[in-house]
Amino acid sequence: MEHNQNEFELSIQKFYTPEELDILQHAVIGILGAGGIGSNCAISLARSGIRHFIIDDMDTVELSNLNRQSYFPQQVGAYKVDALTEILTHINPNITVEKYTDFLTKDTMLQHFSNADILVEAFDKVESKVDFFLL
């Protein structure tokens, strides 16, 4: 489904050729982990014009996250993927997010992120990083 451009998207047009903006708006970015790296990366990508994300993180927002992750006090207790989706769609209402809150294994990584054009590995645990790089 194609979206009409909103004020945000109209405002970033001056930074890209029409072809570049089209590439950004149709790319699918997979974010594996929505903590300090993943949340900040997703927000920067959204501000760059990316519209489509696949995000997986099983954690919820905690008070201890607020000093280094892009969440707000009212989001404490929410799944990070839900809180991040809220932030991303505040930046650009045309953003779509396919969300998962399960522990990623090699199999679920392949299932969840098979449509992603680019993957951002933002895991906390070394074991998950190893699984990702062994795919």
Side-chain angles (χ1 to χ4, degrees):
M1 175 170 92
E2 195 59 40
H3 298 280
N4 292 326
Q5 289 190 322
N6 56 41
E7 286 185 46
F8 169 79
E9 291 177 335
L10 293 171
S11 74
I12 65 170
Q13 282 183 342
K14 64 182 176 183
F15 299 106
Y16 303 107
T17 66
E19 295 80 19
E20 291 169 334
L21 188 58
D22 186 64
I23 289 168
L24 289 171
Q25 291 178 334
H26 288 90
V28 178
I29 307 300
I31 308 281
L32 294 86
I37 295 170
S39 65
N40 289 300
C41 185
I43 289 169
S44 293
L45 289 168
R47 291 186 187 284
S48 297
I50 298 293
R51 279 184 177 173
H52 307 288
F53 293 89
I54 303 168
I55 304 173
D56 192 312
D57 194 303
M58 60 186 232
D59 292 334
T60 58
V61 177
E62 298 177 13
L63 279 173
S64 63
N65 301 143
L66 301 181
N67 69 322
R68 66 192 185 286
Q69 299 178 16
S70 297
Y71 301 110
F72 298 95
Q74 66 270 23
Q75 295 176 313
V76 169
Y79 278 110
K80 288 182 179 180
V81 294
D82 293 332
L84 184 54
T85 298
E86 181 182 333
I87 294 167
L88 296 176
T89 56
H90 274 31
I91 294 167
N92 182 353
N94 286 340
I95 285 177
T96 62
V97 180
E98 187 176 329
K99 303 179 286 187
Y100 297 97
T101 57
D102 53 354
F103 180 79
L104 281 172
T105 64
K106 289 180 191 177
D107 291 335
T108 56
M109 280 184 219
L110 291 171
Q111 289 173 333
H112 295 338
F113 295 97
S114 63
N115 292 330
D117 298 308
I118 296 172
L119 295 176
V120 175
E121 182 275 304
F123 291 124
D124 294 335
K125 294 180 176 42
V126 172
E127 299 82 13
S128 298
K129 291 178 183 290
V130 170
D131 285 347
F132 175 80
F133 286 106
L134 293 177
L135 287 178

